[in-house]
Amino acid sequence: SQTIHQWPATLVQPVGSPLSLECTVEGTSNPNLYWYRQAAGRGLQLLFYSVGIGQISSEVPQNLSASRPQDRQFILSSKKLLLSDSGFYLCAWRSVRVDGYTFGSGTRLTVV
Amino acid sequence: GNSVTQMEGPVTLSEEAFLTINCTYTATGYPSLFWYVQYPGEGLQLLLKATKADDKGSNKGFEATYRKETTSFHLEKGSVQVSDSAVYFCALNEAAGNKLTFGGGTRVLVKP
């Protein structure tokens, strides 16, 4: 069966520090992968998506970047965090054969 | 571009009350429509979906009908429970697209 792993679950980081959030998918190949952010009291905003290794599409200009070094690995990064980067980050994958998305359990990032 | 609009919350109900959350969308083509649920502290789970006009998605007592003429996908449940307290997101995915577009989410609080 397909599963998606996302870690860490919670993270508190100082302003200006780097960030690396990792997401991995098991049980599927060549998935479309996504990073979403949910700011406090707001909806979900698509940050990045990837349709293959090394292919990254950015939806909004921001302080973050994404990389896909392996087929089932998607990484969200920042060189220097801002207070506004705080939020709940969700990784998701979509199988090209199934019209549905599966989400990870999320990472709650607090920048202090 | 695609967009999803859903009623703002919070919606506060008593147990066994009837729940409706309105959702309307704008899209080119014929999108698939989804409702996702986010329980406190967790990621998103797919609640139900519909892939074409007049389809009815249903799960856990929730229902939503894909209405192409009104571009709507309202979520309903006849008798809510305390355990239904969560944030509900309406979303669409265009048939040829790679991205899931979300509404802003509606927080539902069910009181005993």
Side-chain angles (χ1 to χ4, degrees), chain A residues 2 27-32 93-100, chain B residues 49:
Chain A
Q2 299 97 354
T28 185
S29 59
N30 195 32
N32 287 356
W93 75 276
R94 178 194 181 202
S95 167
V96 294
R97 295 172 296 169
V98 177
D99 188 15
Chain B
K49 70 177 183 181

Side-chain angles (χ1 to χ4, degrees), chain A residues 14-93:
Chain A
V15 169
S17 64
L19 173 73
S20 181
L21 302 181
E22 188 162 344
C23 172
T24 59
V25 181
E26 295 179 359
T28 185
S29 59
N30 195 32
N32 287 356
L33 296 172
Y34 304 82
W35 277 111
Y36 283 86
R37 177 171 61 197
Q38 184 180 23
R42 302 179 66 179
L44 284 158
Q45 180 184 40
L46 178 62
L47 301 177
F48 301 96
Y49 71 95
S50 171
V51 299
I53 296 174
Q55 299 179 61
I56 308 295
S57 295
S58 175
E59 288 296 295
V60 293
Q62 59 200 301
N63 185 43
L64 302 168
S65 62
S67 62
R68 186 168 176 177
Q70 300 180 41
D71 181 46
R72 288 170 285 180
Q73 184 184 31
F74 203 23
I75 298 173
L76 184 70
S77 303
S78 173
K79 293 182 179 178
K80 289 185 178 182
L81 284 168
L82 305 172
L83 287 174
S84 57
D85 291 325
S86 294
F88 192 51
Y89 289 82
L90 287 160
C91 180
W93 75 276

Side-chain angles (χ1 to χ4, degrees), chain A residues 32 34 36 38 42-44 46 49 51 59 88 90 94 99-101 103-105, chain B residues 32 34 36 38 42-44 49 51 89 93 95 97-104:
Chain A
N32 287 356
Y34 304 82
Y36 283 86
Q38 184 180 23
R42 302 179 66 179
L44 284 158
L46 178 62
Y49 71 95
V51 299
E59 288 296 295
F88 192 51
L90 287 160
R94 178 194 181 202
D99 188 15
Y101 293 72
F103 284 82
S105 54
Chain B
S32 296
F34 306 83
Y36 282 84
Q38 183 182 31
E42 299 183 12
L44 268 67
K49 70 177 183 181
T51 58
F89 291 93
N93 183 63
N98 283 319
K99 300 177 288 186
L100 198 59
T101 300
F102 284 92

Side-chain angles (χ1 to χ4, degrees), chain B:
Chain B
N2 299 336
S3 67
V4 177
T5 302
Q6 58 183 106
M7 58 190 293
E8 291 188 20
V11 175
T12 303
L13 303 166
S14 298
E15 211 165 17
E16 299 184 1
F18 185 86
L19 170 68
T20 298
I21 304 176
N22 290 341
C23 171
T24 57
Y25 67 90
T26 302
T28 55
Y30 302 96
S32 296
L33 301 174
F34 306 83
W35 277 101
Y36 282 84
V37 58
Q38 183 182 31
Y39 297 104
E42 299 183 12
L44 268 67
Q45 301 176 26
L46 178 63
L47 182 59
L48 53 84
K49 70 177 183 181
T51 58
K52 60 183 187 297
D54 299 325
D55 266 2
K56 177 184 284 187
S58 61
N59 185 27
K60 299 182 180 181
F62 290 90
E63 292 183 340
T65 301
Y66 189 143
R67 300 289 188 198
K68 184 170 178 293
E69 63 277 12
T70 54
T71 61
S72 64
F73 193 52
H74 304 323
L75 182 69
E76 296 181 337
K77 185 173 185 181
S79 177
V80 293
Q81 305 300 313
V82 172
S83 57
D84 293 323
S85 298
V87 181
Y88 294 82
F89 291 93
C90 186
L92 72 81
N93 183 63
E94 235 184 296
N98 283 319
K99 300 177 288 186
L100 198 59
T101 300
F102 284 92
T106 302
R107 183 175 301 278
V108 173
L109 177 62
V110 181
K111 295 184 175 180

